[in-house]
Amino acid sequence: KPTTMRTFMPEVLLIVFCLCLADVSAECSKRTCSSLQWKTIRLNGKEVCGESDKGFYFGFDDACFQQESLDFSRSICSYIGARLCSADEVRNDVGTNTGCGHDHRLVWTSTECSGGILTVRGSSSKTNPSVPDDCKQNGQGNSAIRCCADQRCGGSAPTDIIMLGGEIFENAQPRSLVARFQAIDADTSDTHKYTMPFGNTAFDIIGDKLYTKVTGAALNYETARSVTVVVRATDPDGLSTQKGFSIRVKDSNDPPSISINSLNLGENATIGLVATIPVYDEDSLQNQPWLRSRAKQNYSISMVPSSFFELKGVELHLIKKLNFEDSNLHKLKITVQDNGLSSLNTTRTLLVAVYDVNEPPLLAKLSNNKVLE
């Protein structure tokens, strides 16, 4: 295997080879890492690759170049469809461990320095203090050749994001689909990753779709009729754009609720009104009994019949005297039902505890008033 191409090429062919290559200083490689079959790594949001010998001999065999001029180094890299590595790429080990012992040598880079071109040690982990980085004045002198390439070139950032959909009913089930996003990008073949950089308590993004969270905050039309989300679209090169969207929350029928669980009454409680059952419904003016005449939807309230109690609207009445000694607990099953488009109801068991009251003693009545001597 040759150690230098000069040994196997006539001098005249070498001169023609170096003069005919176009755009040897291009900052993007003509061939991709995949087509060169070089191992890629991700650096600064881009996939790049580097090699020290693979395909360097006419593009189909391996060859090492240890001490070559800048122009010749550029020509070798360009001939195989690659480019010189930047100093940043070499310092981040692009092309490390690819042969020729270049990890211990200075290799040419495409990075300009004060009055020249920078040569950099071939590996950050195999540094040789006796071989410091060197700025070759006017590109003079010789160094080793390492070439780099790009997995893709000329990428542009996405410029906009379109939302398809964007509305959801309140109280929607977890993992309900809300919207889909589409990035606008001049690179039409790009795929994009969608994220919410500021997070969100109500929604998740999976792929390009927005869903309600499994354990997220419930959506409530009565408290917030829209929710803002900020979405970022990132292309394979790490270029991105972000945009805010307003998700519309749509009204749906909410179930009414009864906010009383227990009631304490003395056994000497007076017959008549003993409690008002508090009923609440978030939907339009239903939450207060005295506004029911103005409400768009009314509700009804009922109770399983009881020997001691009667429900009149939301008023609970005692209709029979209580006695602690006979029964100290009554269970009243109360149901409230609304008249929404899809009627909903709630049933609550009200526990009425009867407490004992000290009662005056009663004088026994004698059957006759005679006492035998």
Side-chain angles (χ1 to χ4, degrees), residues 33-34 36-40 49-51 54 56 80 82 147-149:
C33 296
S34 297
L36 290 165
Q37 297 183 358
W38 294 358
K39 182 180 178 181
T40 62
C49 53
E51 262 292 343
K54 189 173 183 179
F56 282 21
I80 61 177
C147 301
C148 284

Side-chain angles (χ1 to χ4, degrees), residues 251-300:
D251 194 17
S252 63
N253 191 25
D254 296 295
S257 64
I258 302 172
S259 55
I260 185 171
N261 296 310
S262 61
L263 179 65
N264 295 322
L265 294 175
E267 62 179 346
N268 62 347
T270 304
I271 300 295
L273 177 65
V274 291
T276 298
I277 307 300
V279 176
Y280 181 83
D281 194 318
E282 285 190 317
D283 291 322
S284 186
L285 299 177
Q286 285 187 190
N287 55 337
Q288 299 296 340
W290 51 87
L291 294 177
R292 276 185 292 170
S293 60
R294 294 170 50 197
K296 294 179 181 179
Q297 304 171 18
N298 293 327
Y299 58 79
S300 59

